[in-house]
Structures are given as structure tokens and as C-alpha cells.
Amino acid sequence: MDTLSRLLADSAMARAALGACPSPIAILDAAAPARPVTYVNAAFEAFFDIASREALGKPLGALVFRGDEALIHRMLAETVQKKTVKAWSKDGTLRHVEVALGPTRDREGRVTHWTVAFTDRSEVERLRGELDSMRSLDAKAA
């Protein structure tokens, strides 16, 4: 198999794997200052109720972080590549998510793209809120 065929096969396999992944994923263009979305998988579309055609070319902050572009830029600049934050779906539903970031680098080591994976933490946060309420009631009763 020649090099081009192998690269094309690897690319197709990577797209298929990302598409089948049950976690919401977005890929951002690291070369453009606004870090626009270049790809979202079906899980991203379902979780945030944002179709791929609506997401492509737009900054991730505008799509799921209520316009907070600075949040994305801060996360990309940090050395810690996982962070729990608040995000919102298209209909305004609050989503507590853990965001994991991973760079893709070219041969010279420059970051060309960022992969952003989301893990739903909403149930954990709901339970934490219930536990805090119960503790507060216990403290008042004591």
C-alpha cells in the first residue's frame, strides 16, 4: 500500500472512530485566532442539539459556552487539559461537563487542531446539590 493510500485509509478510520464515539467531540482549528469548529460528531449534535452544519466555522464558546470565548482560550493555554465547567445546549439547558482537550501537532510540533471531548457531569452535580441541601437542613436542625 502506498503512502497516500495508507494516509487516506487512516483518515477514514479516524473519522469513523470519532463518529462512532458515544462522547460528544468537537475539533477546533488551532491556526485560526477564533479557534472555529471544524468537526463535531453525532454525540455532540445529540448532546447539545446543535447540527454539524450549525457548528462548523463557529467558535465553540459561541455554541455551548454562552459566548464565553475567553473560557476556551484560557483552557487551551492551561497545562491542565481537563476541567469541569458549565455549558448549555441549544435550547438553553444547563449542562455540567468535564472538558478534556488534546492537541494535534504537525511534524514541526506546532498545534494544528484541538480535540475537545465532553463528559456529562450533570447527574453528579445534581446529586451534589441534593447532598448539600440535606447537610444544610441537618445543620439547621442541630
Side-chain angles (χ1 to χ4, degrees):
M1 181 183 279
D2 69 346
T3 304
L4 179 58
S5 295
R6 191 169 355 116
L7 285 173
L8 291 173
D10 288 351
S11 177
M13 185 174 58
R15 286 277 180 171
L18 288 172
C21 181
S23 296
I25 293 176
I27 297 179
L28 313 180
D29 181 350
R35 307 293 189 261
V37 172
T38 61
Y39 172 85
V40 295
N41 68 353
F44 179 97
E45 291 180 294
F47 186 71
F48 290 110
D49 193 28
I50 299 171
S52 157
R53 69 182 178 286
E54 297 173 86
L56 298 182
K58 295 195 175 77
L60 188 60
L63 296 169
V64 299
F65 297 118
R66 295 212 165 154
D68 190 355
E69 294 305 316
L71 173 64
I72 293 294
H73 292 279
R74 281 192 312 273
M75 286 192 298
L76 294 174
E78 292 174 357
T79 56
V80 175
Q81 298 301 300
K82 284 188 178 183
K83 187 172 195 159
T84 301
V85 297
K86 293 177 183 176
W88 288 265
S89 63
K90 185 178 176 181
D91 69 1
T93 302
L94 174 62
R95 307 276 190 193
H96 294 275
V97 294
E98 180 180 79
V99 176
L101 303 164
T104 301
R105 298 179 187 278
D106 64 14
R107 285 185 174 182
E108 288 76 40
R110 289 184 300 256
V111 176
T112 61
H113 292 85
W114 285 96
T115 300
V116 185
F118 299 85
T119 303
D120 187 5
R121 305 280 301 168
S122 297
E123 185 65 13
V124 170
E125 292 302 320
R126 185 188 67 74
L127 292 171
R128 182 174 285 136
E130 285 182 20
L131 184 57
D132 289 345
S133 292
M134 290 166 48
R135 285 181 180 151
S136 180
L137 289 174
D138 285 347
K140 288 179 184 177

